[in-house]
């Protein structure tokens, strides 16, 4: 079964989504951080703090951050949670190269490393990490169910998953305001920062149809996660999904 965002492609119908997403993020990598702060009005920092606060209770020592991008969540987790090691995994070398420079500047290169990985086909062995995280990247998966299944596989028994993803508000008037913002403001600002017009048409389109809410909770449960839950922030613009792997 294909979910909505899996059908949304940045460029054309002739290539796999994974290939197109990799090319898209490589092309906007140098502008991504500044653009992201602008589009979210800086609220994405608040959302990451909420996700980290959830993990703080469990004190994970080894963390895999899938779809890590330029490493914002990995850096924030390293500074707050003080784990032994964080692995950032992504298909975009351009994004990760920006992340490596940020990590080096903060003196965290021993604690955070980046690796090229297809997040739906991770090369790590089973039961490798205390926690697996993803911030605003699940909607870019070619196969969301398979990506969640891989997160479950590489978690240690008792390990936790924490996913942040953009979502569509359901209540008036935020739903209407968000629709206007995503259709007009996001593409306009995106073009100011980057010549990659397709990327900022793809972004709102993928958010609009990504699996979310109870449907995502059910999908996590189907992949094996226990106590799967969803919590929303900022009138439903962001959703946090959490769950755990059976301790047996």
């Amino acid at each position: 079964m294909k979910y909505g965002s899996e059908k949304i492609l940045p460029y054309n119908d002739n290539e796999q989504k994974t290939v197109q997403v990799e090319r898209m993020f490589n092309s906007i990598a140098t502008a991504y951080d500044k653009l992201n702060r602008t589009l979210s009005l800086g609220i994405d920092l608040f959302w990451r703090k909420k996700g980290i606060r959830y993990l703080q209770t469990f004190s994970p020592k080894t963390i895999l951050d899938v779809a890590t991008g330029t490493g914002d969540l990995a850096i924030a987790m390293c500074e707050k949670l003080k784990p032994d090691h964080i692995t950032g995994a992504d298909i975009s070398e351009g994004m990760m190269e920006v992340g490596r420079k940020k990590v080096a500047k903060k003196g965290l290169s021993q604690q955070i490393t980046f690796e090229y990985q297809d997040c739906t086909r991770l090369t790590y062995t089973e039961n490798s990490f205390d926690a697996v995280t993803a911030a605003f990247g699940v909607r870019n998966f070619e196969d969301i169910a398979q990506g969640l299944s891989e997160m479950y596989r590489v978690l240690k028994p008792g390990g936790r998953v924490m996913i942040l993803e953009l979502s569509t508000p359901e209540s008036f008037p935020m739903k209407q305001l968000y629709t206007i913002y995503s259709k007009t403001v996001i593409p306009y600002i995106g073009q100011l920062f980057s010549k990659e017009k397709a990327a900022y048409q793809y972004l709102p389109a993928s958010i609009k149809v990504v699996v979310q809410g109870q449907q995502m909770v059910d999908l996590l449960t189907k992949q094996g996660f226990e106590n799967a839950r969803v919590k929303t922030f900022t009138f439903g613009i962001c959703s946090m999904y959490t769950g755990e792997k059976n301790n047996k």
Side-chain angles (χ1 to χ4, degrees):
M1 176 180 178
K2 271 193 172 294
Y3 296 91
S5 61
E6 296 170 348
K7 303 173 186 177
I8 303 297
L9 305 174
Y11 299 112
N12 58 64
D13 296 326
N14 302 321
E15 296 175 299
Q16 288 184 311
K17 178 167 183 172
T18 299
V19 174
Q20 296 187 48
V21 168
E22 179 179 359
R23 185 163 78 249
M24 180 188 74
F25 279 111
N26 281 339
S27 71
I28 65 173
T30 56
Y32 181 82
D33 282 342
K34 189 173 183 180
L35 175 63
N36 197 36
R37 292 290 101 77
T38 302
L39 288 175
S40 71
L41 305 177
I43 303 174
D44 60 305
L45 301 173
F46 165 79
W47 298 332
R48 288 187 182 87
K49 287 180 180 178
K50 289 291 188 180
I52 293 169
R53 187 174 299 172
Y54 164 78
L55 294 171
Q56 201 166 9
T57 308
F58 316 111
S59 301
K61 295 302 180 186
T62 54
I63 302 173
L64 173 65
D65 185 38
V66 302
T68 192
T70 62
D72 275 353
L73 180 59
I75 292 169
M77 288 192 295
C78 189
E79 292 177 335
K80 188 69 176 179
L81 302 177
K82 308 297 184 183
D84 293 336
H85 191 262
I86 298 176
T87 302
D90 205 286
I91 59 171
S92 171
E93 283 289 358
M95 295 283 279
M96 289 191 291
E97 189 56 34
V98 173
R100 290 185 185 104
K101 291 176 182 176
K102 288 159 61 175
V103 165
K105 189 174 182 179
K106 287 180 172 286
L108 298 174
S109 297
Q110 294 300 312
Q111 293 95 330
I112 303 173
T113 55
F114 294 85
E115 296 180 357
Y116 180 91
Q117 292 278 335
D118 180 342
C119 297
T120 64
R121 298 177 180 82
L122 297 171
T123 62
Y124 309 112
T125 57
E126 294 182 8
N127 309 323
S128 294
F129 301 94
D130 296 320
V132 178
T133 62
F136 316 115
V138 166
R139 71 180 180 278
N140 299 316
F141 288 0
E142 187 166 318
D143 186 330
I144 292 176
Q146 180 60 29
L148 298 180
S149 178
E150 283 291 274
M151 291 183 192
Y152 184 87
R153 181 182 67 80
V154 301
L155 266 181
K156 293 179 182 178
R160 311 288 173 137
V161 67
M162 190 284 292
I163 297 169
L164 293 169
E165 189 52 85
L166 296 171
S167 47
T168 304
E170 298 181 353
S171 301
F172 177 87
M174 186 55 66
K175 180 177 182 179
Q176 288 72 19
L177 291 172
Y178 187 74
T179 298
I180 295 170
Y181 181 78
S182 63
K183 285 184 176 180
T184 59
V185 178
I186 291 178
Y188 176 73
I189 294 179
Q191 289 183 64
L192 290 180
F193 283 84
S194 170
K195 297 178 181 179
E196 190 60 75
K197 182 179 179 181
Y200 302 105
Q201 293 175 331
Y202 164 82
L203 176 62
S206 63
I207 296 169
K208 184 177 180 180
V209 296
V210 67
V211 55
Q212 57 188 285
Q214 188 59 45
Q215 189 180 14
M216 177 67 92
V217 170
D218 292 343
L219 192 54
L220 283 163
T221 301
K222 188 175 181 181
Q223 305 313 312
F225 288 102
E226 297 183 348
N227 300 316
R229 293 184 173 89
V230 59
K231 186 173 184 179
T232 60
F233 308 117
T234 319
F235 307 104
I237 293 174
C238 177
S239 296
M240 179 176 73
Y241 304 96
T242 57
E244 57 193 83
K245 187 170 183 175
N246 192 300
N247 204 21
K248 296 180 180 179

